[in-house]
Amino acid sequence: MAITIKDVADAAGVSTATVSRALRGLPNVDSLTRERIQKIATDLDYVISPSASRLASGRTGSIAVITPYIARWFFSTVLSGVESVLQNAGMDLLLMSVSTPDGQHRLPPAPRLRRRVDGVLVIALPPQDAQLHEVLGLHMPTSLIGLTMPDVPSVTIDDVLAGQIATQHLINLGHERIGVINGAPIISPYTAENDRFRGFGMAMKDAGLPIDPMLEAYGYFTIAGGEQAMTALLTQKNPPSAVFAMSDEMAFGAMKAMRSHGLQPGKDISLIGIDGHDMSEFLDLTTVVQPVQDLGRIAAEALVLQLRTSGGEVAADSIRLPTQLIVRGSTAPFKA
Amino acid sequence: MAITIKDVADAAGVSTATVSRALRGLPNVDSLTRERIQKIATDLDYVISPSASRLASGRTGSIAVITPYIARWFFSTVLSGVESVLQNAGMDLLLMSVSTPDGQHRLPPAPRLRRRVDGVLVIALPPQDAQLHEVLGLHMPTSLIGLTMPDVPSVTIDDVLAGQIATQHLINLGHERIGVINGAPIISPYTAENDRFRGFGMAMKDAGLPIDPMLEAYGYFTIAGGEQAMTALLTQKNPPSAVFAMSDEMAFGAMKAMRSHGLQPGKDISLIGIDGHDMSEFLDLTTVVQPVQDLGRIAAEALVLQLRTSGGEVAADSIRLPTQLIVRGSTAPFKA
DNA sequence: ACCTTTCATGTAACCGCTTGTGTCCGGGGT
DNA sequence: ACCCCGGACACAAGCGGTTACATGAAAGGT
């Protein structure tokens, strides 16, 4: 019913092999022949059958993106970066979310990847996540975004540095009792939060400031969590004068908690986040901006490149993108 | 290299045809044989080759989602609903964004869909969008989300009603000079904004209130746009006492503008949005909540169902989901 | 007992493209 | 003139499933 390569070949008076080569820009095709075939193909409105092509060639021309969340700012922003690159590269993007600690059960992604994609992009899964390891066990070209693992290419920011910059900013303003809103307590699953916390610790240590365990709260990277965490910090006998939230969304929640307590960010308590969330400017939040869309873009580009130059085992380098401190009204000098 | 259906067939001592039937749950296979084959398949760690299956069967088992934006709240939330359904249905989700009025040029989506997906889900494109029409011209099973068109199945809210409810709420509070932050001026491209504006007009008319063209501003469905629009409304000689923003994000921008002018939402001016954005609770914004994730979920379910019962031409019904007014602090009774 | 069904399974023809291997031809080298 | 070489193209064997059709045996009807 649909028109096939055979139809084009017949119309052009050549073999299907030549059509295939001509259309794909392979060498050893006379340029006149090629042009003629291209014209005929467009005239006939021919579109190649991906399934047939994939079956014959063994390449799928598609990449899977595995993410724990779709409808969260960080993830959807990374995704948009990935999508733009893959679209330009002419690759299909298969979107697949995985079950999350707090989440619904879903099919494990690994089996759904086999024979189906050429490569995988994983966004910010905890390094010890079982599903992540299943995916890595597939041994297909893979790139990580927002998390790092030994021997796997990745694109992230320098989270330690980001934590350090954020904390240092508060210290520079004269704050000494600095609270921190972390992701999850005890063994935190994400590398990002560990690293940011390490950066926090380093900055504190460099400044000779003590780290009060009472000033650590957990916001689970959500707005509601940030609100609770801030509430916990505020209801202490000796609250902090400044708070470092490890994500902007938690900072938003923290702002809400402050407001409930009649406190004003930047006036009564300084607050800094990390992310550069769309709303951070709107809410006048000081933050360490990370180039989220670029995270996705660059990871996708690297993966596409690796697939193109396939076989040529690319070094598993981990790319770190720069961050930038944007000072806004939520942070201000310490006033005793 | 990878193991094929042939290997399974040999191991089970049957033909590939039987394996194919057994594994896909087709009838006319002895239950013992089926179980044996299934066991062997899992033992051998066999995974079907999608390309081969697609080529032979003509079905791709995948659905494309076409959206103008990925990293915006509404779109990513719809997408997450779609994804969860498709994942459960065992279908692949191909994500594809299209060029936008304000956007970068991209490949037109239609050619990339042919022979590649079984169905298409389109999120909130303007009804007269050229790329949308190309897609519809493909005549494949398609469902629209957040927009309606004659003879095409769709899932939306009742935008007229939503606009009416929002406006009526302001009227009920005693407001008479009601401003409106629309999407774009003149011929607005989205059905949603037209309909919401019609609802606005209906409510005003029912209340016998005049519509002052000076009280209409345009926010282009973005935060920054909402801020500008609100600024325009506020800098008039006779500003409104209440404002209906057609989306929460525009309302957020409006809040910012109000704050810049030293005004407080719900105190000095009432403000209502539409969406039920994650941040609306946080910002204490009264809004007409639409079930965004369900929009995606239900559209996906309908499409999957249609594909399953394929051939049985499904009626192109347009499903409307209910909305809900959530009153928060941004709206308050009119005070002269 | 004989014929018709029914069910489980095998046979083999595709599905539409890719690619290794040939074939043919013109041109350059000697 | 003869040979070799490379470029342009054709041939045909897959790639790994699906499915219409054929087959045979067991079951059921009269």
Side-chain angles (χ1 to χ4, degrees):
Chain A
M1 54 165 299
I3 102 145
T4 74
I5 198 176
K6 180 86 174 39
D7 301 315
V8 178
D10 290 351
V14 296
S15 72
T16 63
T18 301
V19 175
S20 176
R21 294 186 183 108
L23 260 26
R24 282 182 304 147
L26 296 188
N28 295 337
V29 178
D30 187 88
S31 55
L32 273 71
T33 312
R34 188 190 303 276
E35 282 171 26
R36 190 161 46 90
I37 292 178
Q38 283 170 336
K39 174 157 176 25
I40 292 179
T42 36
D43 287 353
L44 259 41
D45 199 25
Y46 166 71
V47 266
I48 198 174
S49 157
S51 335
S53 172
R54 289 167 184 182
L55 176 57
S57 70
R59 298 173 233 102
T60 66
S62 35
I63 286 180
V65 174
I66 299 189
T67 176
Y69 307 99
I70 294 174
R72 286 200 190 180
W73 176 79
F74 177 83
F75 299 88
S76 65
T77 304
V78 167
L79 185 58
S80 72
V82 169
E83 197 273 345
S84 71
V85 170
L86 293 190
Q87 177 147 135
N88 282 325
M91 297 219 148
D92 286 350
L93 157 28
L94 259 65
L95 180 59
M96 228 167 266
S97 70
V98 300
S99 65
T100 52
D102 53 305
Q104 58 277 242
H105 57 298
R106 294 174 159 285
L107 316 175
R112 296 185 54 62
L113 294 176
R114 300 177 53 185
R115 291 165 162 256
R116 193 172 300 256
V117 296
D118 295 336
V120 184
L121 247 23
V122 180
I123 309 180
L125 243 37
Q128 71 272 31
D129 183 279
Q131 310 199 18
L132 170 58
H133 286 275
E134 283 177 32
V135 171
L136 294 176
L138 260 30
H139 297 296
M140 42 173 70
T142 303
S143 246
L144 309 177
I145 301 173
L147 83 149
T148 55
M149 293 193 70
D151 304 321
V152 185
S154 61
V155 179
T156 60
I157 58 168
D158 185 333
D159 286 293
V160 176
L161 184 59
Q164 205 169 3
I165 289 174
T167 310
Q168 191 62 52
H169 172 65
L170 298 177
I171 294 172
N172 290 346
L173 289 170
H175 294 279
E176 302 198 337
R177 278 193 67 72
I178 300 180
V180 57
I181 300 183
N182 207 331
I186 317 191
I187 307 153
S188 38
Y190 292 97
T191 46
E193 62 187 299
N194 277 325
D195 288 353
R196 290 173 193 179
F197 189 75
R198 274 178 45 215
F200 167 76
M202 287 169 61
M204 292 296 273
K205 192 178 168 203
D206 289 353
L209 294 173
I211 297 182
D212 184 346
M214 291 304 291
L215 292 187
E216 184 178 357
Y218 306 99
Y220 305 92
F221 285 95
T222 65
I223 297 179
E227 186 179 358
Q228 289 181 357
M230 189 53 146
T231 303
L233 293 178
L234 291 177
T235 52
Q236 292 189 189
K237 56 279 161 193
N238 191 4
S241 73
V243 172
F244 161 38
M246 290 198 181
S247 81
D248 281 0
E249 279 171 305
M250 292 195 292
F252 298 158
M255 283 182 160
K256 189 178 182 191
M258 289 174 66
R259 215 181 297 152
S260 311
H261 287 250
L263 300 172
Q264 197 175 316
K267 184 162 169 290
D268 305 302
I269 291 187
S270 282
L271 179 65
I272 188 170
I274 292 187
D275 265 349
H277 190 292
D278 292 343
M279 300 282 282
S280 66
E281 180 188 355
F282 168 64
L283 292 168
D284 207 24
L285 174 71
T286 296
T287 188
V288 178
V289 177
Q290 56 171 328
V292 181
Q293 197 165 347
D294 289 339
L295 249 35
R297 201 149 25 204
I298 289 175
E301 273 164 3
L303 186 55
V304 168
L305 191 66
Q306 180 183 350
L307 292 176
R308 290 253 157 79
T309 66
S310 191
E313 277 298 328
V314 181
D317 45 19
S318 84
I319 303 172
R320 329 214 74 143
L321 266 34
T323 55
Q324 191 190 354
L325 173 67
I326 302 273
V327 180
R328 299 206 181 91
S330 71
T331 50
F334 173 70
K335 288 168 294 194
Chain B
M1 55 165 298
I3 101 145
T4 75
I5 198 175
K6 181 86 175 39
D7 301 315
V8 178
D10 290 351
V14 297
S15 70
T16 62
T18 302
V19 174
S20 178
R21 293 183 190 110
L23 260 27
R24 280 181 304 149
L26 295 188
N28 296 338
V29 177
D30 187 86
S31 54
L32 273 72
T33 312
R34 188 190 303 274
E35 282 171 26
R36 190 161 45 90
I37 292 177
Q38 283 170 335
K39 175 158 175 23
I40 293 178
T42 35
D43 287 353
L44 260 41
D45 199 26
Y46 167 71
V47 268
I48 199 173
S49 157
S51 334
S53 173
R54 290 168 183 180
L55 176 56
S57 70
R59 297 172 233 102
T60 66
S62 35
I63 286 180
V65 174
I66 299 189
T67 177
Y69 307 99
I70 293 174
R72 286 201 190 180
W73 176 79
F74 178 83
F75 299 89
S76 66
T77 304
V78 168
L79 186 58
S80 72
V82 169
E83 197 275 344
S84 70
V85 170
L86 293 189
Q87 178 147 136
N88 281 325
M91 296 219 148
D92 286 350
L93 158 27
L94 257 66
L95 181 59
M96 226 167 267
S97 70
V98 300
S99 65
T100 52
D102 54 305
Q104 57 278 242
H105 56 297
R106 294 174 158 286
L107 316 175
R112 297 186 53 63
L113 294 176
R114 300 177 52 184
R115 290 165 164 256
R116 193 173 301 255
V117 296
D118 295 337
V120 184
L121 247 23
V122 180
I123 309 180
L125 243 37
Q128 70 273 32
D129 183 279
Q131 310 199 18
L132 170 58
H133 285 276
E134 282 177 32
V135 171
L136 294 175
L138 260 30
H139 297 295
M140 42 173 70
T142 304
S143 246
L144 309 177
I145 302 173
L147 83 149
T148 55
M149 293 193 71
D151 305 319
V152 185
S154 61
V155 180
T156 59
I157 58 168
D158 186 332
D159 285 294
V160 176
L161 184 60
Q164 205 168 3
I165 289 174
T167 310
Q168 191 62 52
H169 172 64
L170 298 177
I171 293 172
N172 290 346
L173 289 170
H175 294 279
E176 302 197 337
R177 277 194 68 72
I178 300 180
V180 55
I181 300 183
N182 207 332
I186 317 191
I187 307 152
S188 38
Y190 292 96
T191 46
E193 62 188 299
N194 277 326
D195 289 351
R196 289 172 193 181
F197 190 74
R198 274 177 45 215
F200 166 76
M202 286 169 61
M204 293 295 274
K205 193 179 167 203
D206 289 353
L209 294 173
I211 297 182
D212 184 346
M214 291 304 290
L215 293 187
E216 183 178 356
Y218 306 99
Y220 305 92
F221 286 95
T222 65
I223 298 180
E227 186 179 359
Q228 289 181 355
M230 188 54 146
T231 303
L233 293 178
L234 291 177
T235 51
Q236 292 189 189
K237 56 280 163 191
N238 191 5
S241 73
V243 172
F244 162 38
M246 289 198 182
S247 82
D248 281 1
E249 279 171 305
M250 291 195 292
F252 298 158
M255 283 183 158
K256 189 177 181 192
M258 289 174 66
R259 216 181 297 150
S260 311
H261 287 250
L263 300 171
Q264 196 175 318
K267 184 162 168 291
D268 304 302
I269 292 188
S270 282
L271 180 66
I272 187 170
I274 291 187
D275 265 348
H277 190 292
D278 292 344
M279 300 283 284
S280 66
E281 180 189 356
F282 168 63
L283 292 168
D284 207 25
L285 174 71
T286 295
T287 188
V288 179
V289 176
Q290 56 170 329
V292 181
Q293 196 165 350
D294 289 339
L295 249 34
R297 200 147 28 204
I298 289 176
E301 274 164 3
L303 186 55
V304 168
L305 191 66
Q306 180 183 350
L307 293 176
R308 290 251 157 81
T309 67
S310 191
E313 277 298 328
V314 181
D317 44 20
S318 83
I319 303 172
R320 329 213 74 143
L321 267 35
T323 55
Q324 191 190 357
L325 173 68
I326 302 273
V327 179
R328 298 207 182 90
S330 72
T331 50
F334 173 71
K335 287 169 294 193

